[in-house]
Amino acid sequence: VSIDGSLHEGGGQIIRNSLTLATILGRPLRLTSIRSGRPNPGLNNQLISLVKCFVSTPPKRGSTDFTFAPETPAYTEIINDSAASCTLIAQTVVPLILARQITGSEGDSSYIKGGTLVNHSPPVLAYQRILVPLLSRMGVEVTIE
């Protein structure tokens, strides 16, 4: 699967969604023109922290192309190299954990450390008050500390 990372608003969400879906489906992924319309194009620190969960050798900061073949992600502990948004990382990791739970696979928890009130990101309070109760009603336990 090839994804043009400059599509629509050309931000990190297309990268996060692509990593999640490629991993769940077990399909190789090629991302091109990553954040190319942004003032600082390419992978930023937050995206690199996330990509490190999926590949043993992540691309460098500023890389605009990235190819990846899904492996079992090591998303049990994600420590941002900056104050990058932990809620944006959770947007990628939570669906993976849910998919693993549905299939009965190992690895159904994660620890994410990062910023909780970051510009242009959902605040952790929104997750606590909206997402966590919604997931709970679906039988999914999420704890935010």
Side-chain angles (χ1 to χ4, degrees):
V1 176
S2 185
I3 304 287
D4 180 348
S6 68
L7 288 174
H8 304 293
E9 53 93 25
Q13 193 63 47
I14 195 166
I15 310 306
R16 289 185 290 276
N17 288 350
S18 297
L19 287 169
T20 299
L21 294 173
T23 301
I24 289 171
L25 297 173
R27 304 276 307 269
L29 174 67
R30 176 169 168 74
L31 293 160
T32 60
S33 303
I34 296 170
R35 300 177 70 243
S36 64
R38 295 297 175 110
N40 298 311
L43 293 170
N44 59 20
N45 289 336
Q46 187 263 4
L47 291 169
I48 289 174
S49 294
L50 181 62
V51 169
K52 285 180 184 177
C53 303
F54 292 86
V55 297
S56 52
T57 307
K60 292 182 170 45
R61 186 173 194 270
S63 297
T64 56
D65 292 342
F66 168 56
T67 302
F68 124 96
E71 305 167 9
T72 302
Y75 53 78
T76 54
E77 182 172 284
I78 304 165
I79 307 293
N80 281 312
D81 296 333
S82 66
S85 171
C86 62
T87 56
L88 291 178
I89 289 178
Q91 289 179 354
T92 304
V93 174
V94 169
L96 291 173
I97 292 171
L98 296 177
R100 292 181 64 84
Q101 288 177 347
I102 290 168
T103 62
S105 302
E106 295 286 324
D108 60 353
S109 67
S110 182
Y111 170 79
I112 303 170
K113 181 178 178 182
T116 58
L117 188 58
V118 178
N119 287 340
H120 311 292
S121 304
V124 75
L125 188 60
Y127 276 41
Q128 290 171 317
R129 293 192 178 167
I130 300 166
L131 183 63
V132 170
L134 179 62
L135 291 172
S136 177
R137 289 182 17 205
M138 293 189 274
V140 177
E141 181 185 335
V142 176
T143 304
I144 298 176
E145 297 176 4

